[in-house]
Amino acid sequence: MSNCAKRYEGQWSDLPPELVSDIADRLGTDELQSFRTVCKAWNSASYTAVAKVEPAPDIKPWFLLYGITDNELNKDSDLQSQLLVKKSGEKYPICLPQLDGTTTCLASNQGWLLLFQPGGSMFFFRPFVPMKIDLPKFPASELSDHVAAFSSPPTSQDCMVCVMSRKSDGEFELNVLHRGANEWTQHKYDRPIDTIKCAAYRNGEFYFLDSKSGYITFAKDLSWNRDYLVEVSNEVTECRPSPDYFYTEDSYFQTKDMKKKLGLADDVSISTCGTLKQYHGLPQFVFNETISSNRVQEPESRQFKGVWIYPKMFYQTSLKDETW
């Protein structure tokens, strides 16, 4: 029996690529995620199928709920430690150890998450066909009042990461890391600006948008610019001085009624990490949000976390983790 089992097990990677590719073409996004992890041969043979299911430019991101502690799970048997909600509203429990209760998502872009853990540990993580990329230790052991963005997928040679945090009422610190660098570099911005709600990269610059239609840009040549958004129509805004049009969405979680879709109780507060999406062919900044508990009289509410993410399944030849 054992010999038969071994011969049968070994045949999975020996199946004709044409047959494996035909099977992959019949699968949906969820099935492909598991299909590609079987072996390198199946991963390679599913390339065409993945290209077909990769999100179109205007598709809506999915939402990933995480950060629910074991203590909370013991209190509420209906809770899942992590929950993925598709654009259709379907919910799927998942298990990602990288997103435990101590982890905070700083940025989400093209299916990759930038994650931070107390003590200064920072890394990229891709939940769909999991892959982790460790970064040099961050210069701060804790983060508060912060936003972050990265210019391109971390597998790109020109990837650049920026983390903006408030040091005082009139001073911000920007920590920057280029791929291949061993240390973060610090840059100061000491002009007044309101609470920063979103960070994203576009056309060679990092944008940091505040809650009062102001924004800061930081370019790769290390120059700063400060200006305000101009409303072009009811939905479209424009960055000055250049005609750089985009949409902004500062209450995406609430607009989508996500608390109800997730089945969260009134005593739950949640902090969300936004993303950059496409809407009518233009980029749309989905802001970070903090949604407070509806039970204002309760001294403490349950604190959960969430992030908007695209179900990208990038083609790769290796399933191993990488380092910068």
Side-chain angles (χ1 to χ4, degrees), residues 173-236:
E173 181 179 86
L174 183 69
N175 283 277
V176 179
L177 182 71
H178 297 263
R179 178 159 185 175
N182 295 321
E183 295 182 349
W184 296 77
T185 59
Q186 285 77 43
H187 306 269
K188 302 293 184 181
Y189 186 84
D190 56 5
R191 299 179 184 178
I193 185 171
D194 202 66
T195 302
I196 298 179
K197 301 287 289 183
C198 174
Y201 179 84
R202 175 162 160 77
N203 293 343
E205 295 182 313
F206 285 92
Y207 285 77
F208 302 95
L209 284 75
D210 70 15
S211 57
K212 294 185 177 179
S213 297
Y215 70 91
I216 305 170
T217 60
F218 181 78
K220 287 190 174 182
D221 64 3
L222 310 184
S223 63
W224 293 94
N225 181 53
R226 175 81 166 99
D227 217 311
Y228 292 87
L229 303 177
V230 177
E231 186 174 298
V232 178
S233 67
N234 290 334
E235 293 184 304
V236 185

Side-chain angles (χ1 to χ4, degrees), residues 136-154:
K137 187 175 181 179
F138 193 71
S141 59
E142 300 287 342
L143 282 178
S144 62
D145 198 4
H146 60 271
V147 293
F150 47 99
S151 61
S152 56

Side-chain angles (χ1 to χ4, degrees), residues 45-115:
S46 63
Y47 178 76
T48 302
V50 169
K52 292 178 181 178
V53 302
E54 284 282 50
D58 284 359
I59 199 170
K60 295 178 177 61
W62 296 2
F63 187 80
L64 177 59
L65 178 71
Y66 72 100
I68 303 175
T69 64
D70 291 339
N71 186 41
E72 292 292 346
L73 293 173
N74 293 332
K75 291 179 181 178
D76 190 342
S77 60
D78 293 330
L79 276 177
Q80 301 285 342
S81 59
Q82 295 157 359
L83 195 64
L84 182 67
V85 181
K86 292 185 175 183
K87 62 184 180 65
S88 63
E90 297 173 278
K91 296 186 293 185
Y92 295 89
I94 57 175
C95 181
L96 298 170
Q98 295 82 359
L99 289 168
D100 63 18
T102 64
T103 304
T104 298
C105 184
L106 304 181
S108 172
N109 188 13
Q110 299 185 50
W112 285 92
L113 304 179
L114 178 64
L115 302 176

